[in-house]
Amino acid sequence: MSYAVLKAASYALVHTPDMIIHNGTTQTVEMKVNPDSQYLKDIKKFIRKFDEVVNYAPNQTYIGNLHPSELKTLSEKVADDIKKVGASWVGVSCSGSRDGKLGGIYPEDEFIFMMKVCDVFELVYLEADFEKKMKEVYLKNESKYRSEEDIKKELDKFKFDTNISDIEKLMKEEHAEGLYFEEKLVGCIKRAHDVDENLTSHVIFENLVVKASGVIALKELIRKNKIEPSTIDLVIECSEEACGDMNQRGGGNFAKAIAEIAGLPNATGFDIRGFCAAPTHTLVTAASLVKAGSYKNVVIVAGGATAKLGMNGKSHLAKNLPILEDVLGAFAVLISENDGVHPIIRTDLLGTHTVATGSAPQAVMNSLIVNPLQKANLKVTDIDKYSVEMQNPDVTKTAGAGDVPEANYKMIGAIGVKEGHIEKPQLAEFVEKHGMSGWAPTQGHIPSGVPYLGFAIEDIMSGNINRVMIVGKGSLFLGRMTNLFDGISVIIEKNDGKTSSNNGVSKEEVNKLIANAMRDFAKNILANE
């Protein structure tokens, strides 16, 4: 049986201080219901600078410069007053870089320009001087990877003739959504239809954010891993937004839109939606399609959500902490045919949350953890690392939601005790050994299992571990269509070096059979002469 392999993963963060204020749901709602609130008056003083975001340990972990095992040790350096409010890394500099082993961190001005690059319907307007300046930055950055001639062709649509008065007029008369950098208006996004609520400037803005951040993550994947773009034949996008119009509000297709800008000429694509569980659903779908022989190289990608910027900002300010939800998250992962080297994705060992599972924590964990382990005749201790909802506890603990990864690990450990795999006194040791501190931004789908994939490749191929389980969970009730919970898990393990066909015969064995058959055929011919 030829399993697909986990070949590469990349991650991107975009620091968006102005979008926190103008586009984060917590802030925009506050502006409507309580415009004179102290929170709105104080928030700007609590927004971090770009270098602070870069040097923040969880962010360095997200882009691959700091291993999860190293991240935990840094929490010991946190000042006592910060520890008291539940933070683990605030104020601890790790002297990072915006360029990471697995991805990168981008400033807001570069991202705004990427939104313009991603605009194919002339909906993004940028102030002329800002646009010219960012064109030169883009040209410089892209010229490291592409010819200057190709980049200039891409930028031919830029006219550099929009002034601030034009932008202000569009915002006033046509309800355009403003784009801000360093608290100054630098552009806007027009609505795409006069009456269609699904094509308002606000929705177009959110969708372009998903597209642009997805493009950045996909480009990081291609560049960091020296992937030939023409070899990718399918892209699946799995963020939490949906694009469409009044006749099909979530029709899609982010995947092909991202593939187009990222320069994948031979790729088709489609979107998968499943709230926070979507990335793991998509990982399984991609691996299954590759295993079936439908596609050879599949990329799963997801962009970030502006709505969740500053989501827990009020709680953070109340504890004298900076706004910690100040970045958009994005990722891209390459799933390919078995090469005998990279970790295999065991699509035969899935944990699925069925309709009958219910929402009780024990039932959920039985469906996602116990069932696949029993199928494989494994114990909970046979999984070296569990990657669950890897949310950064700096965000969640200080907002009163606790340490989400740790809570998951304790439940998995409790299952181990119940199943007789470990003794109760070993529970803390199990959490320490098989768990990790969370480091991903709370962008819904972004923390759900996939942040560890890049490290999993490295850890498994280096021989440090043999097997991991990726666990995704989702809250379907948010859509008001069902009260059901959702979840899926999949085991990824070390490649045994055998690339087999669907009938279980390896390529080496096939070659031997062919050689033997030819030899016997030759013998028969000689015998009959």
Side-chain angles (χ1 to χ4, degrees), residues 15-22 40-49 108-109 112 130 164 168 171 178-187:
H15 180 228
T16 51
D18 294 273
M19 291 182 189
I20 296 170
I21 297 170
H22 295 282
L40 291 177
K41 292 175 183 176
D42 292 341
I43 187 171
K44 290 180 181 179
K45 295 182 289 186
F46 287 84
I47 292 178
R48 296 184 291 189
K49 302 296 184 184
E108 192 169 37
D109 54 351
I112 289 172
F130 177 82
I164 286 297
E168 290 173 340
M171 292 175 67
L179 291 168
Y180 300 85
F181 177 64
E182 294 183 343
E183 302 182 33
K184 294 179 182 178
L185 183 67
V186 296

Side-chain angles (χ1 to χ4, degrees), residues 356-400:
T357 299
S359 58
Q362 186 172 337
V364 172
M365 281 301 179
N366 279 335
S367 67
L368 299 182
I369 307 298
V370 176
N371 292 351
L373 291 178
Q374 288 181 342
K375 187 175 181 180
N377 196 27
L378 297 172
K379 299 178 180 179
V380 293
T381 50
D382 291 325
I383 302 295
D384 297 297
K385 287 292 180 183
Y386 292 87
S387 184
V388 290
E389 301 159 282
M390 302 309 299
Q391 294 187 31
N392 176 1
D394 271 3
V395 176
T396 56
K397 286 175 69 177
T398 56

Side-chain angles (χ1 to χ4, degrees), residues 221 231-236 282 285-287 289-290 295-300 333-336:
L221 181 77
T231 62
I232 297 172
D233 41 18
L234 178 67
V235 176
I236 312 176
T282 308
T285 301
L289 288 169
V290 171
Y295 300 93
K296 292 184 177 182
N297 296 294
V298 179
V299 165
I300 68 174
V333 179
L334 176 62
I335 314 298
S336 299

Side-chain angles (χ1 to χ4, degrees), residues 54-273:
V54 169
N55 293 324
Y56 182 53
N59 292 346
Q60 283 298 302
T61 304
Y62 190 77
I63 64 170
N65 287 341
L66 198 67
H67 192 274
S69 61
E70 299 172 300
L71 176 67
K72 192 166 187 180
T73 62
L74 286 178
S75 65
E76 299 169 1
K77 300 179 181 180
V78 176
D80 289 339
D81 60 332
I82 297 295
K83 286 181 181 178
K84 285 178 183 177
V85 299
S88 297
W89 298 284
V90 173
V92 177
S93 176
C94 59
S95 300
S97 167
R98 64 169 286 191
D99 183 48
K101 184 165 61 174
L102 297 175
I105 303 175
Y106 290 76
E108 192 169 37
D109 54 351
E110 291 182 20
F111 182 65
I112 289 172
F113 191 78
M114 179 58 78
M115 292 173 70
K116 174 70 174 179
V117 171
C118 289
D119 172 32
V120 297
F121 282 91
E122 296 186 1
L123 299 173
V124 179
Y125 287 75
L126 299 179
E127 188 274 325
D129 290 339
F130 177 82
E131 192 169 11
K132 287 178 183 177
K133 175 186 173 184
M134 296 317 301
K135 177 189 175 183
E136 294 306 313
V137 173
Y138 182 82
L139 195 61
K140 180 181 177 181
N141 291 340
E142 287 288 308
S143 62
K144 300 173 187 175
Y145 315 102
R146 297 193 284 154
S147 71
E148 193 169 304
E149 183 181 352
D150 286 344
I151 304 167
K152 286 182 177 179
K153 284 181 182 177
E154 181 185 23
L155 301 178
D156 278 347
K157 61 183 178 182
F158 289 54
K159 298 175 182 177
F160 310 120
D161 58 0
T162 305
N163 57 50
I164 286 297
S165 61
D166 296 326
I167 292 166
E168 290 173 340
K169 184 177 180 180
L170 286 169
M171 292 175 67
K172 183 179 180 180
E173 298 180 2
E174 297 191 32
H175 308 287
E177 187 94 352
L179 291 168
Y180 300 85
F181 177 64
E182 294 183 343
E183 302 182 33
K184 294 179 182 178
L185 183 67
V186 296
C188 69
I189 295 177
K190 285 178 57 181
R191 60 188 177 187
H193 196 277
D194 291 343
V195 297
D196 190 340
E197 292 183 357
N198 300 287
L199 295 174
T200 62
S201 59
H202 175 75
V203 174
I204 294 295
F205 169 85
E206 289 189 332
N207 288 349
L208 277 172
V209 164
V210 171
K211 181 180 177 181
S213 52
V215 167
I216 287 172
L218 182 47
K219 284 190 172 188
E220 286 283 354
L221 181 77
I222 292 168
R223 293 165 179 173
K224 289 284 192 300
N225 298 280
K226 295 180 172 58
I227 297 167
E228 171 51 54
S230 63
T231 62
I232 297 172
D233 41 18
L234 178 67
V235 176
I236 312 176
E237 207 275 345
C238 55
S239 66
E240 290 186 319
E241 309 290 6
C243 59
D245 65 8
M246 67 176 78
N247 294 310
Q248 50 275 313
R249 69 183 64 186
N253 178 316
F254 277 117
K256 291 188 82 170
I258 290 170
E260 176 188 23
I261 303 299
L264 311 184
N266 299 322
T268 185
F270 58 88
D271 301 344
I272 287 179
R273 294 294 175 264

Side-chain angles (χ1 to χ4, degrees), residues 287-505:
S288 299
L289 288 169
V290 171
K291 183 177 180 297
S294 303
Y295 300 93
K296 292 184 177 182
N297 296 294
V298 179
V299 165
I300 68 174
V301 63
T306 51
K308 293 185 174 71
L309 291 169
M311 188 165 53
N312 292 286
K314 290 182 180 180
S315 296
H316 296 153
L317 262 65
K319 293 180 173 63
N320 202 36
L321 292 171
I323 297 290
L324 296 170
E325 293 159 307
D326 53 4
V327 290
L328 299 168
F331 67 84
V333 179
L334 176 62
I335 314 298
S336 299
E337 290 181 310
N338 197 338
D339 57 5
V341 178
H342 289 85
I344 59 173
I345 303 169
R346 292 292 301 271
T347 42
D348 58 331
L349 299 177
L350 303 181
T352 56
H353 185 287
T354 65
V355 171
T357 299
S359 58
Q362 186 172 337
V364 172
M365 281 301 179
N366 279 335
S367 67
L368 299 182
I369 307 298
V370 176
N371 292 351
L373 291 178
Q374 288 181 342
K375 187 175 181 180
N377 196 27
L378 297 172
K379 299 178 180 179
V380 293
T381 50
D382 291 325
I383 302 295
D384 297 297
K385 287 292 180 183
Y386 292 87
S387 184
V388 290
E389 301 159 282
M390 302 309 299
Q391 294 187 31
N392 176 1
D394 271 3
V395 176
T396 56
K397 286 175 69 177
T398 56
D403 188 327
V404 178
E406 184 179 65
N408 277 275
Y409 295 134
K410 286 180 177 178
M411 284 192 283
I412 296 171
I415 286 173
V417 173
K418 184 176 178 293
E419 296 292 321
H421 300 167
I422 61 174
E423 299 294 327
K424 192 172 182 179
Q426 297 175 299
L427 184 56
E429 180 186 343
F430 173 86
V431 173
E432 178 72 23
K433 183 178 180 180
H434 298 272
M436 297 173 282
S437 294
W439 64 85
T442 50
Q443 290 257 296
H445 57 298
I446 297 297
S448 196
V450 294
Y452 181 62
L453 291 176
F455 293 113
I457 297 169
E458 177 185 318
D459 291 345
I460 292 174
M461 292 182 67
S462 66
N464 291 331
I465 62 174
N466 294 311
R467 190 178 290 117
V468 304
M469 181 183 284
I470 307 299
V471 184
K473 296 180 186 177
S475 303
L476 301 185
F477 52 82
L478 295 170
R480 306 305 194 268
M481 289 291 108
T482 177
N483 280 313
L484 289 175
F485 192 71
D486 190 31
I488 184 170
S489 66
V490 61
I491 292 174
I492 298 173
E493 62 186 24
K494 184 178 181 180
N495 200 316
D496 62 8
K498 296 178 180 178
T499 56
S500 57
S501 63
N502 288 332
N503 62 7
V505 182

